[in-house]
């Protein structure tokens, strides 16, 4: 490299570092200016917020793979509503378990940061915001009056390793973060955009959530853009293999109903296979991952070696 080239590289690295710092500082200010409290900002006890498990507004719509099946449509209205409510509550339970892993990983990440970095304050803002989300989700679960289960035990145990990545391998950890946050954010934004008559409690929770998640997604995305290109080839290869595997597992878990729901309502196996094996359902999952997939392409993580993994897990799409 000539001296002029070296100077140019130094200059662009300095501009990049400045841009990253000002982004994190902006997110920090936004977290201070606009944040929500799980109890002060949700009118839990207002009469219209009461949860009736047989309220038709809980019913799954045609946009849900299970909601599209003849089996679901042939159920009595109360059962359809109950399944829809249980589905929503189970998503919240899984969501709060995911947030717990995320919070612990963020604390590990923050523990390694030197003094004076704005990322420390950011990580704590995010931990606190996730704490409020988890309280909202758990309060919803408590009030729905149904027995709600979240993630499979095995995944919960394996996820403890993810927590340590927050400290040891943040690039891998933030891929996991996007794998959980991006699909849920996509689904919530779609529901809020649809003309469906949403229960006001669910609508309030989702609005609070998408507002704060926008910051979390922005941080994770920019952190990866900043750090992945600087990884050594071995670590970069590890991330490129792990990314589709993590995203495939996470999106499947977030977007499919838990097996406890399938057992409770005796949903026949072929109905479940028909619903979730169907090309439209697979395309929906792949589309919920569009943003994170495009980011992986941009970061050079999708290569001729790793693309077949994306395809095999049905999370690739050429859109
Ligand atoms: Fe959250
Ligand atoms: Fe989040």
């Amino acid at each position: 490299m000539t001296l002029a080239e070296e100077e140019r590289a130094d200059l662009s690295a300095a501009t990049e570092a400045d841009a990253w710092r000002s982004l994190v500082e902006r997110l920090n200010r936004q977290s201070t200016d606009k944040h929500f409290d799980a109890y002060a900002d949700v009118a839990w006890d207002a009469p219209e917020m009461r949860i009736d498990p047989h309220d038709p507004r809980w019913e799954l719509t045609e946009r849900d793979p299970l909601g599209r099946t003849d089996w679901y449509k042939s159920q009595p209205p109360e059962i359809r509503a109950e399944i829809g409510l249980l589905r929503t509550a189970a998503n919240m339970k899984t969501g709060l378990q995911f947030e717990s892993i995320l919070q612990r990983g963020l604390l590990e990440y923050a523990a390694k940061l030197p003094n004076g970095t704005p990322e420390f304050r950011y990580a704590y803002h995010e931990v606190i915001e996730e704490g409020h989300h988890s309280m909202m989700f758990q309060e919803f679960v408590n009030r729905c009056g149904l027995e709600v289960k979240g993630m499979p035990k095995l995944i919960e145990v394996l996820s403890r390793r993810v927590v340590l990545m927050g400290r040891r391998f943040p690039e891998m950890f933030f891929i996991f973060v996007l794998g959980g946050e991006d699909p849920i954010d996509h689904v919530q934004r779609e529901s809020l955009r649809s003309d469906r008559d949403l229960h006001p409690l669910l609508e309030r929770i989702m609005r609070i959530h998408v507002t704060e998640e926008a910051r979390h997604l922005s941080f994770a995305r920019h952190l990866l853009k900043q750090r992945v290109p600087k990884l050594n080839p071995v670590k970069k290869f590890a991330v490129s293999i792990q990314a589709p595997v993590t995203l495939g597992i996470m999106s499947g878990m977030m977007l499919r109903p838990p097996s406890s729901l399938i057992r409770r309502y005796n949903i026949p196996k072929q109905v479940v296979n028909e619903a979730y094996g169907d090309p439209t359902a697979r395309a929906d999952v792949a589309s919920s991952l569009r943003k994170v997939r495009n980011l992986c392409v941009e970061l050079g993580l999708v290569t001729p070696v790793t693309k077949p993994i994306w395809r095999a897990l049905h999370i690739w799409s050429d859109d």
Side-chain angles (χ1 to χ4, degrees):
M1 219 189 253
T2 66
L3 197 59
E5 278 170 343
E6 264 179 39
E7 272 174 10
R8 261 203 303 279
D10 282 352
L11 198 65
S12 88
T15 334
E16 214 181 279
D18 284 348
W20 164 248
R21 193 181 174 93
S22 54
L23 170 94
V24 180
E25 285 171 347
R26 192 173 68 239
L27 294 174
N28 285 342
R29 281 195 303 277
Q30 287 172 355
S31 284
T32 309
D33 294 345
K34 195 168 192 179
H35 57 257
F36 298 90
D37 181 289
Y39 289 95
D41 294 314
V42 181
W44 292 101
D45 295 322
E48 71 277 14
M49 297 299 208
R50 207 180 67 81
I51 300 175
D52 169 7
H54 297 150
D55 185 329
R57 287 175 295 183
W58 299 121
E59 285 190 26
L60 300 173
T61 64
E62 283 284 326
R63 286 182 34 245
D64 184 278
L66 186 62
R68 286 197 283 268
T69 61
D70 293 337
W71 178 87
Y72 181 78
K73 289 180 196 158
S74 68
Q75 300 302 305
E78 315 83 68
I79 297 293
R80 289 202 302 267
E82 249 185 63
I83 292 178
L85 173 60
L86 190 53
R87 179 76 222 272
T88 304
N91 274 350
M92 292 205 194
K93 188 76 192 178
T94 308
L96 76 91
Q97 288 169 323
F98 164 76
E99 286 177 339
S100 154
I101 302 163
L102 171 55
Q103 285 171 300
R104 284 175 282 150
L106 280 168
L107 291 174
E108 292 289 335
Y109 163 73
K112 268 278 285 284
L113 295 170
N115 291 336
T117 49
E119 290 95 322
F120 181 90
R121 172 176 160 191
Y122 175 80
Y124 273 76
H125 276 307
E126 187 166 327
V127 168
I128 292 163
E129 286 164 12
E130 295 299 6
H132 281 286
H133 300 168
S134 298
M135 284 194 285
M136 282 193 309
F137 293 163
Q138 185 62 53
E139 189 61 38
F140 182 95
V141 167
N142 296 348
R143 287 174 184 241
C144 83
L146 300 170
E147 203 199 318
V148 181
K149 296 217 169 75
M151 304 186 171
K153 198 90 204 124
L154 179 68
I155 304 260
E156 219 192 315
V157 172
L158 287 176
S159 67
R160 288 182 200 146
R161 296 183 51 192
V162 176
V163 171
L164 295 175
M165 280 195 253
R167 181 189 288 255
R168 295 188 191 144
F169 200 168
E171 297 78 7
M172 202 82 110
F173 173 71
F174 281 98
I175 290 273
F176 165 84
V177 170
L178 287 181
E181 291 191 330
D182 232 359
I184 287 295
D185 189 65
H186 171 87
V187 169
Q188 292 186 334
R189 280 178 193 277
E190 294 255 293
S191 314
L192 289 170
R193 261 198 301 265
S194 75
D195 45 12
R196 173 173 184 198
D197 184 16
L198 285 171
H199 189 286
L201 181 58
L202 179 63
E203 182 173 356
R204 181 71 179 139
I205 292 175
M206 290 202 294
R207 285 210 188 278
I208 292 178
H209 202 239
V210 296
T211 305
E212 299 197 321
E213 287 305 312
R215 293 195 284 268
H216 305 173
L217 291 165
S218 171
F219 181 82
R221 238 183 263 289
H222 285 92
L223 179 138
L224 290 169
K225 278 190 192 178
Q226 221 234 351
R227 296 180 66 134
V228 169
K230 295 180 192 133
L231 284 177
N232 69 43
V234 176
K235 280 196 146 185
K236 191 167 175 184
F237 181 68
V239 177
S240 73
I241 298 280
Q242 193 63 46
V245 175
T246 306
L247 297 174
I249 296 174
M250 300 289 299
S251 59
M253 206 171 60
M254 297 291 208
L255 302 171
R256 287 179 73 126
S259 44
S260 54
L261 185 148
I262 296 168
R263 277 196 304 274
R264 183 183 166 135
Y265 293 97
N266 287 321
I267 308 179
K269 212 171 168 188
Q270 90 248 29
V271 171
V272 179
N273 291 344
E274 175 202 318
Y276 294 96
D278 150 81
T280 323
R282 287 189 164 157
D284 283 350
V285 174
S287 122
S288 79
L289 289 169
R290 187 178 52 81
K291 283 195 202 153
V292 54
R293 186 173 52 244
N294 289 346
L295 177 69
C296 289
V297 171
E298 191 187 325
L299 296 173
L301 296 174
V302 180
T303 64
V305 177
T306 61
K307 202 167 178 178
I309 310 178
W310 290 80
R311 286 195 193 281
L313 295 169
H314 307 287
I315 52 171
W316 183 259
S317 156
D318 287 308
D319 60 0

